[in-house]
Amino acid sequence: MDLPNSAIIWISAFIAYDFFYYWAHRMSHQVNLFWGGHSVHHQSEEYNLSVALRQSSTQTIWTFAFYIPMALVGVHPILLVSVSGFNLLYQFWIHTESINKLPKWFEAVFNTPSHHRVHHARNPKYIDKNHAGTFIVWDKLFGTFKAEEERPIYGITKNLNSWNPVWANMAHYSDMWLDIKSIPKLGDKIRYVFEKPGWLPNYMGGYRAPQEVNTDTYKKFNTNTAAKLNIYVLVQYILLLAGTSMFLFNLDKMHATDKLIFAGVIIFSVVSFGALFENRSWALVMESFRLIFIISAAFYAFVGINTEPLMIILAAALLIVFQIWLMLVRKVPLPVKAQLE
């Protein structure tokens, strides 16, 4: 089939996409393997607009198949991308505590900050509720709706307790691997992959239900970092953003090897920043190596090997300045991690 491009088709496609999004999202919470991708979005113990941008590197691997029916009935790829983009854009503004309740007619039909706060809660009564993208009616139709009562405690039942973005994407898969190794029967190992998070065979204790959160003793993960370190990482992060923008705007001009190197540098950099915040023993060495590599690579990429001595001196001076700055900020008192009690 080949559906025509019209307003009616666009609206129909938007509603259809939101319907399939509901099921992709719901299964991302109810299937262990899929949760490994989606959990990244839920790890934040804060709830603000930045959480909307906290996306997994693997979720699309598990959820793309839910939208195949739209392709089979003839929805044009550009139209599919369009409704997908608007669906995602709608969900950005609902990640906030600044908006309490909206008019009843709106709350009855659409997903709202109040509804979505429930979805991001780790309180047992809120878990696996309100999976909607744009229209909350799907949850009401299929029995997963829960109205907000007391304000939620955000995060996942086993908090990440790390600023490492690579570990954030791998943590649940690591837990899955440990559980699979402990399960003796092959059939149960396979079943575990597709059961809901927390499942174990009955002979191993059965489903591990989420526990109530003690609001008197609960503490968010935090690292008390000095202002000097925050400023250093902020400056380095801004420079990394500029480099990342250049990378993304020039993808079509780059070879596959160059893309891999750039992507590796970006990942290496954010891991290094997280290590600095966590006061890891290897953080100083990692960041020093990163500075040497990234300045050398930038010098090679923008200037070339055969250049004026002045450019070599400027590059060397920049490296020395950053290295001295790094040594100074590392002399601040060690941060104290706040752990869950």
Side-chain angles (χ1 to χ4, degrees):
M1 296 175 64
D2 187 11
L3 297 178
N5 187 10
S6 68
I8 295 298
I9 295 299
W10 194 95
I11 293 171
S12 300
F14 184 87
I15 295 172
Y17 183 91
D18 198 60
F19 171 78
F20 290 119
Y21 174 88
Y22 167 83
W23 287 105
H25 193 185
R26 180 171 173 173
M27 291 302 104
S28 293
H29 282 258
Q30 296 182 352
V31 176
N32 235 333
L33 182 63
F34 299 175
W35 176 243
H38 187 57
S39 61
V40 177
H41 181 60
H42 283 264
Q43 289 165 351
S44 175
E45 296 177 82
E46 306 292 341
Y47 191 74
N48 51 51
L49 294 177
S50 71
V51 176
L53 307 177
R54 186 186 177 102
Q55 300 295 326
S56 165
S57 300
T58 61
Q59 181 170 336
T60 304
I61 298 173
W62 315 124
T63 58
F64 80 92
F66 287 87
Y67 306 101
I68 289 178
M70 297 185 68
L72 295 179
V73 299
V75 175
H76 193 279
I78 297 298
L79 182 59
L80 180 59
V81 170
S82 172
V83 296
S84 170
F86 275 92
N87 187 279
L88 186 65
L89 184 62
Y90 179 90
Q91 294 181 63
F92 176 72
W93 73 278
I94 62 178
H95 292 83
T96 181
E97 290 192 299
S98 299
I99 300 173
N100 189 19
K101 292 279 188 178
L102 293 169
K104 288 184 178 180
W105 68 266
F106 196 91
E107 296 269 349
V109 178
F110 294 99
N111 202 3
T112 65
S114 176
H115 296 329
H116 206 58
R117 284 192 291 267
V118 167
H119 180 71
H120 274 262
R122 57 171 291 179
N123 311 67
K125 71 176 182 179
Y126 286 153
I127 288 178
D128 293 342
K129 301 297 183 182
N130 300 1
H131 301 292
T134 300
F135 301 111
I136 198 65
V137 292
W138 307 127
D139 287 286
K140 294 181 177 181
L141 283 172
F142 299 114
T144 54
F145 175 73
K146 176 69 177 177
E148 182 182 38
E149 295 169 358
E150 72 272 14
R151 279 296 171 96
I153 295 176
Y154 304 106
I156 55 179
T157 56
K158 180 184 177 183
N159 279 339
L160 183 66
N161 291 344
S162 174
W163 302 129
N164 186 328
V166 173
W167 177 242
N169 281 272
M170 296 292 108
H172 184 72
Y173 297 123
S174 175
D175 289 340
M176 284 183 64
W177 175 244
L178 294 176
D179 280 344
I180 289 172
K181 287 200 300 182
S182 70
I183 297 173
K185 298 179 181 179
L186 177 59
D188 286 332
K189 291 178 185 286
I190 297 172
R191 182 181 174 186
Y192 170 87
V193 174
F194 299 100
E195 281 285 354
K196 69 181 301 180
W199 181 87
L200 280 178
N202 289 332
Y203 57 82
M204 294 183 67
Y207 176 63
R208 296 161 290 182
Q211 301 297 310
E212 287 288 350
V213 182
N214 188 331
T215 55
D216 295 328
T217 59
Y218 172 78
K219 294 180 181 179
K220 296 177 183 177
F221 174 76
N222 192 21
T223 48
N224 299 321
T225 53
K228 291 181 180 179
L229 179 60
N230 291 338
I231 294 171
Y232 172 83
V233 174
L234 176 62
V235 170
Q236 295 297 329
Y237 189 70
I238 291 173
L239 293 173
L240 181 66
L241 281 178
T244 302
S245 298
M246 184 203 69
F247 166 60
L248 294 175
F249 283 119
N250 289 277
L251 279 176
D252 58 333
K253 305 172 187 176
M254 300 173 66
H255 297 294
T257 302
D258 295 331
K259 292 178 182 179
L260 289 172
I261 292 173
F262 261 94
V265 168
I266 294 167
I267 294 171
F268 189 90
S269 296
V270 291
V271 169
S272 180
F273 300 157
L276 288 171
F277 283 139
E278 293 181 23
N279 195 49
R280 297 290 183 179
S281 58
W282 40 268
L284 181 60
V285 174
M286 184 175 188
E287 179 63 10
S288 296
F289 176 79
R290 188 190 74 86
L291 290 172
I292 294 171
F293 179 81
I294 203 167
I295 292 177
S296 301
F299 175 76
Y300 177 82
F302 290 111
V303 182
I305 297 176
N306 299 317
T307 187
E308 297 294 328
L310 178 60
M311 297 302 297
I312 299 176
I313 294 173
L314 288 175
L318 184 61
L319 177 59
I320 292 171
V321 168
F322 280 150
Q323 288 285 6
I324 293 174
W325 190 6
L326 176 63
M327 296 301 296
L328 290 175
V329 300
R330 287 292 289 173
K331 291 183 178 181
V332 300
L334 299 181
V336 179
K337 290 183 180 180
Q339 302 291 345
L340 295 177
E341 295 183 7

